[in-house]
Amino acid sequence: MLIGELARRSGVSARMLRHYEALGLVRPRGRTGSGYREYGADDVRRVFHVESLRSLGLSLREVGRALDDPDFAPARLVEELARRTRERIAAETELLTRLDRLRAAGPADWDDVLRGAALLRALGAWNADDRQRAALAAEGGPVPAEALADAVLREPDPYVAGALRWALARTDGNALAPLARGLDSPAAEVRERAARSLAALPADADADADTGVTALLRRALGHADAEVRDHAALALGARGHTEAVPALVAMVVAGRHDVDAADALSRLAGEGGGVGDRVVGLLAEGLEPGGAGAAARRRIAQALADIPGDAATRLLLALTRDEDRGVAVSAAYGAGRRGE
C-alpha cells in the first residue's frame, strides 16, 4: 500500500509517517517503480505499536528503543512513566488549586491577579525569609484564608508560621475546613500547627456558638493528642468557656503549659458562678495520695495563689504543711499574698 492508504488505515498523517521514517521508527518495505513508498502489513502493525507507546507518554526516542532494543526492560519503563504521570498530576492539581484560590479572592483587575499569583508562589518559596515576607504581605491582600491555612500547616519555620497565623487571623475568609483536616493529620507537627492556628483565630461573635471557631475548639478539647487539647483549652479558657476547666487543671498537674493554664484558671475563677470552687476541687483531686509528685504539688500551690475564694485559701494553708519544703514555701507565699 502507498503512504496515503497507510495514513487512512492508521489515522496517522502522511507528514507524521515521513517523520517516523526519518527517525527510523517506521520504514517502508520498498519503493514502487514510480518511486513511491510502499508499505506492507508489518508496517501497519509497526505504526500502531508506535502510536500505542506514544499514548503511554513515551517520547519518540523511547519508542524506538522499546521496539528495537532486545534488552529493553518494559517493567522499568512503565514504572518510570507512572512516576512521571504522578508528578504531572500533582503539578496540575497544584495549579488548579492556585487558580481556584485566585478566583475565590475575586480579583478586580490584572494587578490583583498578578499580586495574588506572586504571593501564592512566594508562600511556597524555598527561602524562609521569602515565605515570611509573603505571609506579612498577605494581610488584607488577594490571598484567601484557605491558602494561608494550608501554608501554615506545612510551615516548619516557627517565625514564618507565626507570621502566617497573624495573617490568617486577619482574613475575612473561613479557614476552618483546612484547619479541621490538619487536626486529624497523622503527623503530630501538623496537628500542633492546626491547633495553634485555630486558637489564634478571632472568637465567634456568639460566645455560645455551636458552629465556627468555638465548635471546632470544643471538638479539639477531646482530641487524643495532648498538644491539641492544650491549645484548645487555653483558647476556650481565654474566651470564658468554663468547659475548659478540667483540661486546664490537668495541664497544671502535668506541667504542660502550666503557667498559661494557671492564668486561664485564675481568669475563669474570677468570673464567679462557683467556678473558683470547681477549680479548687479539681486541683485538690490532684493532691490525693498516690497522685501528684512534689513538682506537681508545687505547681498546684502556685496556681491556687491566684484563685479567689475561701476554698483556695484553705487548700493553700494545708499545703504549707507539705513534707516537701519547696511545696510548703510556695503555699506559704501564696497564702501570704492573701493575707494569711
Side-chain angles (χ1 to χ4, degrees):
M1 71 185 75
L2 301 183
I3 193 170
E5 185 178 354
L6 176 59
R8 286 192 296 274
R9 288 193 182 190
S10 64
V12 179
S13 69
R15 181 179 180 182
M16 183 59 73
L17 289 171
R18 293 188 187 98
H19 182 54
Y20 286 173
E21 181 182 350
L23 295 176
L25 289 175
V26 179
R27 298 184 182 88
R29 69 179 183 179
R31 296 269 179 170
T32 67
S34 304
Y36 293 110
R37 295 172 177 83
E38 189 172 25
Y39 298 90
D42 289 343
D43 298 320
V44 175
R45 283 193 293 273
R46 177 85 173 189
V47 170
F48 281 119
H49 290 163
V50 169
E51 291 301 298
S52 295
L53 291 174
R54 284 189 66 198
S55 72
L56 296 177
L58 273 70
S59 68
L60 290 177
R61 178 177 295 182
E62 290 169 330
V63 168
R65 287 181 59 206
L67 292 176
D68 297 330
D69 184 352
D71 296 325
F72 195 79
R76 268 203 316 272
L77 176 62
V78 171
E79 177 57 34
E80 173 63 15
L81 290 172
R83 182 189 65 78
R84 288 186 210 166
T85 303
R86 285 192 292 269
E87 289 178 353
R88 187 170 63 251
I89 291 172
E92 294 292 334
T93 301
E94 182 180 351
L95 175 59
L96 179 60
T97 299
R98 191 174 298 180
L99 290 171
D100 282 343
R101 286 170 175 170
L102 282 172
R103 177 180 53 79
D109 50 36
W110 277 112
D111 284 342
D112 282 351
V113 173
L114 293 173
R115 182 172 175 232
L119 286 174
L120 286 172
R121 183 176 181 182
L123 287 174
W126 175 83
N127 186 279
D129 290 340
D130 292 340
R131 297 197 302 275
Q132 186 168 19
R133 282 192 290 271
L136 295 174
E139 186 212 357
V143 177
E146 274 203 11
L148 290 172
D150 283 342
V152 78
L153 291 178
R154 64 175 182 265
E155 180 53 60
D157 187 287
Y159 298 104
V160 181
L164 285 166
R165 287 195 297 270
W166 176 84
L168 184 60
R170 285 159 178 77
T171 62
D172 295 330
N174 190 339
L176 294 183
L179 293 183
R181 291 193 296 270
L183 291 176
D184 294 329
S185 170
E189 63 273 16
V190 175
R191 295 196 299 269
E192 192 267 345
R193 292 170 197 153
R196 279 181 175 270
S197 301
L198 179 62
L201 293 180
D204 298 304
D206 179 2
D208 296 319
D210 56 4
T211 59
V213 177
T214 302
L216 196 51
L217 285 170
R218 284 173 171 149
R219 194 189 103 188
L221 197 59
H223 202 283
D225 188 326
E227 194 69 20
V228 172
R229 293 198 306 271
D230 292 351
H231 286 296
L234 290 171
L236 287 169
R239 298 167 196 206
H241 295 283
T242 58
E243 65 262 49
V245 165
L248 292 169
V249 169
M251 291 164 65
V252 170
V253 175
R256 299 190 316 267
H257 309 285
D258 52 288
V259 175
D260 292 334
D263 287 343
L265 287 170
S266 175
R267 287 193 299 271
L268 289 170
E271 294 179 5
V275 177
D277 289 345
R278 183 183 175 204
V279 170
V280 173
L282 290 171
L283 288 172
E285 290 179 7
L287 296 170
E288 293 177 356
R297 298 200 303 277
R298 192 177 307 120
R299 290 191 295 269
I300 291 172
Q302 292 164 350
L304 283 167
D306 293 317
I307 304 298
D310 294 338
T313 300
R314 288 193 296 271
L315 191 52
L316 273 172
L317 290 174
L319 284 170
T320 61
R321 300 186 293 275
D322 193 273
E323 61 184 20
D324 183 89
R325 177 169 173 75
V327 176
V329 169
S330 294
Y333 175 76
R337 286 173 54 194
R338 305 164 78 92
E340 297 294 333

